[in-house]
Amino acid sequence: MRKLKIMEHISLDGVIQVANGPDDSDFPYGDWTAPYRSPAGLEKVLAMYGETFDLVIGRRTYDLWSGFWPKAPKSPMADRLNVATKYVVTHRPESLAWGPVEGIGPDLVESVRGIKAKDGPDLILAGSSTLTSALLEHGLADEVVLLVNPVLLGKGKRLFAEGTPPRALALESSHTTPTGIVVNIFKAAGPLQNLR
């Protein structure tokens, strides 16, 4: 069984949004993660992604990434993303050009269960609060990796918004990059234990 990791850069107040295009015109902070990037941090991120992996991503993330990564200068991250199979949640699979790629149909939960059951590398989900909530709710995420940047943004799309299902997570490790990003790795630990 393949493992599925949710990996997100996040602000202290839970924002994952970065401005990447015209749809983000009301988000004033651009790519607020850029000042905190470092070679040492990149090495940690590459190690967390692994040498090989496949992606589960939403259509918006796919469209943003497909406009950048295929043309990006050669690098370990570009090379790994470009060869990864992208499983894309979309209603328009015929328009997916950045491959290898497969469209995920309307039943996200059963589709991801099927993908996890196939042989292959581990799966990474990034860039979608909607998919994150659904996969956590149905117990399909094995690990949550939060790269917590030392900023407060006050507005923007949050990873865990209203409606996120209650779940228990167990902290597996925590370390800090030279620029102050705290990398927290959590394992899924099942339903929330209520002590009422």
Side-chain angles (χ1 to χ4, degrees):
M1 173 83 59
R2 302 162 87 174
K3 290 184 179 175
L4 189 145
K5 295 181 197 179
I6 296 169
M7 294 186 68
E8 290 292 348
H9 280 273
I10 189 168
S11 69
L12 284 169
D13 55 342
V15 175
I16 62 169
Q17 182 175 356
V18 294
N20 287 315
D23 292 342
D24 295 314
S25 60
D26 66 332
F27 185 72
Y29 306 118
D31 186 358
W32 51 269
T33 65
Y36 300 98
R37 293 184 195 143
S38 69
L42 176 59
E43 289 303 314
K44 287 182 189 240
V45 169
L46 287 171
M48 288 183 292
Y49 268 77
E51 289 288 327
T52 60
F53 55 86
D54 288 338
L55 296 167
V56 175
I57 52 178
R59 182 58 191 249
R60 185 164 187 256
T61 300
Y62 174 85
D63 288 343
L64 290 169
W65 289 9
S66 67
F68 177 78
W69 288 110
K71 302 173 223 161
K74 187 168 179 53
S75 71
M77 184 58 87
D79 294 346
R80 294 175 195 185
L81 287 169
N82 285 322
V83 301
T85 298
K86 295 96 179 149
Y87 296 98
V88 183
V89 180
T90 182
H91 299 291
R92 300 173 283 121
E94 69 284 350
S95 62
L96 300 172
W98 176 41
V101 66
E102 290 184 31
I104 292 179
D107 192 340
L108 170 68
V109 172
E110 284 310 309
S111 294
V112 171
R113 276 197 183 110
I115 293 164
K116 286 185 71 172
K118 292 181 188 178
D119 287 335
D122 286 345
L123 302 161
I124 305 288
L125 168 67
S128 176
S129 59
T130 305
L131 296 180
T132 293
S133 290
L135 296 178
L136 284 170
E137 179 178 2
H138 294 280
L140 293 169
D142 301 290
E143 191 171 289
V144 178
V145 179
L146 300 179
L147 296 98
V148 183
N149 290 249
V151 297
L152 295 169
L153 298 174
K155 67 182 276 185
K157 182 172 79 170
R158 285 176 163 71
L159 180 60
F160 301 114
E162 187 70 31
T164 297
R167 303 298 293 171
L169 300 170
L171 181 64
E172 182 173 89
S173 68
S174 185
H175 56 274
T176 306
T177 70
T179 58
I181 296 173
V182 179
V183 181
N184 295 309
I185 301 175
F186 298 92
K187 293 286 187 188
L192 181 67
Q193 300 299 310
N194 192 333
L195 299 178
R196 283 192 205 182

